[in-house]
Amino acid sequence: MDPRKTSRRSFLSLAIGTPLAGALAACGGSGPTQTGAGGGGGGNSGGGGGGGATYWFLTGQPQQAIREDTVKRFNASGAGNISYTEFQNDAYKTKIKTALGAGQGPTMIWGWGGGGLKEYVKSNQVVDLTDWFNQNPQQKERRFPSSFKAATIDGKIYAIPGETVTPIVFYWNKKVLDKIGMSQLPQDWNGIMQYVQTANSKGVAPFSLGGQSRWTNMMWLEFLLDRIGGSKVFDNVFEGKKDAWSDPAVTDMLTKVQDLVKANGFIKGFQSITADSNADQAVFFTGKAGAVLHGAWIYGNLKTAGGDLVTGGHLAYTNFPKVSDSDKGDPSNTVGNPGQYTSINSKATPQQQDIAKKFFGTTLLDDTEIQKWVATGNVPLVKGVDSKFPSGADGDWLKFIYNTSANAKSFAQSWDQALSPTQAETLLDNIAKLFALSITPQQWIDNMNKAIGS
């Protein structure tokens, strides 16, 4: 994997692992593994005949073992038979697209929602689940309301939200803040810029950033745009509206980011630091930078690799602050990964589709699966799951993630997941140029408007 081209999709398959156990989950091998109760993976049978249903999903522990267990428990219940095929992240993205295009995909399609799901819907490859949710209202009511946005295209639900939430979080190193005399965390954008000035004057980098990975830069833009203009601005982009990036809030967002770069807001040489190597985290937990904006998935590595940062009570974490009093966005809003999503192949037989719906209604994200996610230090997207969290620092962290996700008026999916792969690549390329100060805000807007709908 070329670190210069690391996508957030690829990183999440590596990193939504065991936050409390600490080790980042591995992707596994590059080829598929076929298995399932009753033998035989038969991954290509999902769109054809046969009595059983098929399910494709990703490798990488601990997620892989939990997904496997959920399928095995369903099969043992006698409600139907599902065989599963497992893929490494990059191989999966290629294989699923090819298989669905040929009408040979699995019954159930694991995915990220957003842009990829929109492509499936456009090609009539997945089943509309809106009526199923209306007939099974408890399945919608028990999940975080914000988890459905990435599953919904043109007002209809095409995937069931599952697994866990991983919002983007502001992490602060209290040791560094004490060293530079910061007694209070910034409460708005002016406060952030004042912090930048203070940190630089004390010889400390204000923020760590793995700029070579590109999507790490994107997190700053996502929050700024949401705070300044509200969630509707990016919704217009997702919906493909002409010149959607020309909103005044976008110009404000881009200008503020370049002001931050010009003010030396990020560690020197940030454009050569990568996220997939955890180098950006090391800059933060070794005290070279006072803060980092990053995914909830890095908590485990901060705990295991960061010395006494977590165990010594030196880590603070918050949602992104407001930008100013004129913000249109709700301060409870967050961005990141609002869940994982499973769809049903429209080419599957009625019997296979029925098995998939029984699986959705009985076993997917049931109490046993929920407990397994919590045991690995994750927050399932289910209301009330906070009652299962442990006590102590780890429990406090999980409650913060739960409250951030459950109470968000809007949980926006990260842009490179929400957009089509083609549009996402144009976005990441232009974000890198923006942070390198090699294009102006207006050039960025022009480039991105041309990419809408690609």
Side-chain angles (χ1 to χ4, degrees):
M1 185 185 296
D2 183 347
R4 291 169 298 179
K5 296 296 182 183
T6 303
S7 71
R8 217 183 71 90
R9 287 186 177 95
S10 299
F11 190 85
L12 279 170
S13 75
L14 289 162
I16 303 178
T18 55
L20 306 193
L24 296 177
C27 267
S30 59
T33 301
Q34 296 184 341
T35 186
N44 288 337
S45 66
T54 52
Y55 188 16
W56 289 9
F57 52 77
L58 297 189
T59 57
Q61 300 298 350
Q63 309 97 307
Q64 179 181 347
I66 295 174
R67 292 169 191 144
E68 289 174 358
D69 179 73
T70 301
V71 173
K72 289 173 183 175
R73 287 187 295 104
F74 174 80
N75 288 343
S77 74
N81 187 78
I82 299 170
S83 57
Y84 56 83
T85 306
E86 301 163 308
F87 294 86
Q88 183 269 341
N89 180 75
D90 290 335
Y92 176 76
K93 283 187 280 185
T94 302
K95 181 71 173 176
I96 192 70
K97 185 176 182 180
T98 303
L100 288 173
Q104 294 294 312
T107 311
M108 288 178 283
I109 306 155
W110 187 97
W112 295 270
L117 180 61
K118 192 175 184 179
E119 294 296 308
Y120 298 158
V121 173
K122 201 185 296 182
S123 301
N124 298 313
Q125 293 171 331
V126 290
V127 173
D128 180 355
L129 297 174
T130 309
D131 287 344
W132 183 83
F133 276 106
N134 289 337
Q135 294 160 11
N136 298 272
Q138 75 283 2
Q139 290 297 337
K140 189 170 186 181
E141 290 164 5
R142 72 189 190 99
R143 289 170 162 84
F144 294 164
S146 57
S147 70
F148 282 89
K149 188 171 184 179
T152 304
I153 309 295
D154 296 330
K156 296 181 179 180
I157 303 170
Y158 289 92
I160 186 167
E163 301 189 9
T164 62
V165 291
T166 44
I168 306 304
V169 176
F170 234 141
Y171 298 89
W172 300 86
N173 189 327
K174 293 181 188 176
K175 286 183 180 178
V176 175
L177 298 182
D178 289 344
K179 177 182 172 183
I180 66 175
M182 286 278 296
S183 58
Q184 186 182 25
L185 298 179
Q187 301 298 303
D188 56 18
W189 189 254
N190 282 337
I192 284 176
M193 296 304 287
Q194 289 167 8
Y195 159 71
V196 167
Q197 188 175 4
T198 300
N200 279 322
S201 71
K202 301 289 186 180
V204 172
F207 300 109
S208 178
L209 182 65
Q212 194 178 56
S213 298
R214 304 184 302 170
W215 57 263
T216 44
N217 307 1
M218 179 181 65
M219 296 186 283
W220 284 89
L221 299 179
E222 290 168 337
F223 266 121
L224 278 169
L225 186 60
D226 187 275
R227 293 291 185 267
I228 296 167
S231 58
K232 184 60 180 172
V233 181
F234 182 75
D235 287 348
N236 289 337
V237 175
F238 178 72
E239 292 164 9
K241 293 185 178 177
K242 181 177 171 58
D243 295 333
W245 289 109
S246 294
D247 192 289
V250 176
T251 303
D252 194 2
M253 164 195 77
L254 299 171
T255 302
K256 280 182 166 56
V257 159
Q258 290 201 324
D259 287 346
L260 184 59
V261 174
K262 291 171 186 175
N264 297 317
F266 301 109
I267 183 79
K268 186 178 180 181
F270 72 88
Q271 289 169 282
S272 62
I273 296 173
T274 61
D276 57 315
S277 65
N278 298 336
D280 52 348
Q281 296 178 47
V283 168
F284 170 65
F285 63 64
T286 57
K288 293 176 182 174
V292 66
L293 185 66
H294 218 309
W297 56 83
I298 75 168
Y299 177 84
N301 191 55
L302 295 180
K303 185 178 180 183
T304 55
D308 68 344
L309 178 69
V310 175
T311 57
H314 305 298
L315 178 67
Y317 38 82
T318 66
N319 199 354
F320 199 91
K322 68 179 182 181
V323 173
S324 71
D325 290 336
S326 61
D327 285 357
K328 293 181 181 177
D330 193 287
S332 74
N333 289 355
T334 190
V335 302
N337 200 48
Q340 290 73 51
Y341 297 88
T342 305
S343 301
I344 299 177
N345 189 342
S346 61
K347 300 291 195 300
T349 66
Q351 184 180 3
Q352 290 169 330
Q353 292 187 26
D354 184 57
I355 291 171
K357 289 174 181 176
K358 285 180 182 176
F359 177 64
F360 289 172
T362 61
T363 319
L364 189 69
L365 211 55
D366 64 4
D367 287 343
T368 301
E369 184 181 336
I370 287 169
Q371 195 59 56
K372 287 178 180 291
W373 287 118
V374 172
T376 57
N378 287 279
V379 177
L381 49 79
V382 176
K383 297 174 185 175
V385 74
D386 52 328
S387 64
K388 302 178 186 294
F389 296 160
S391 59
D394 290 340
D396 291 343
W397 162 254
L398 292 175
K399 285 172 187 171
F400 167 74
I401 296 302
Y402 175 87
N403 288 331
T404 298
S405 304
N407 299 329
K409 292 281 196 306
S410 171
F411 192 144
Q413 190 177 32
S414 286
W415 293 350
D416 63 338
Q417 290 184 318
L419 298 176
S420 70
T422 301
Q423 200 173 167
E425 179 57 34
T426 303
L427 172 73
L428 293 170
D429 181 54
N430 278 274
I431 285 176
K433 291 174 181 175
L434 181 80
F435 276 71
L437 305 179
S438 62
I439 57 173
T440 66
Q442 188 57 51
Q443 288 172 325
W444 193 96
I445 290 168
D446 291 343
N447 292 344
M448 291 311 304
N449 276 335
K450 290 174 188 171
I452 288 177
S454 63

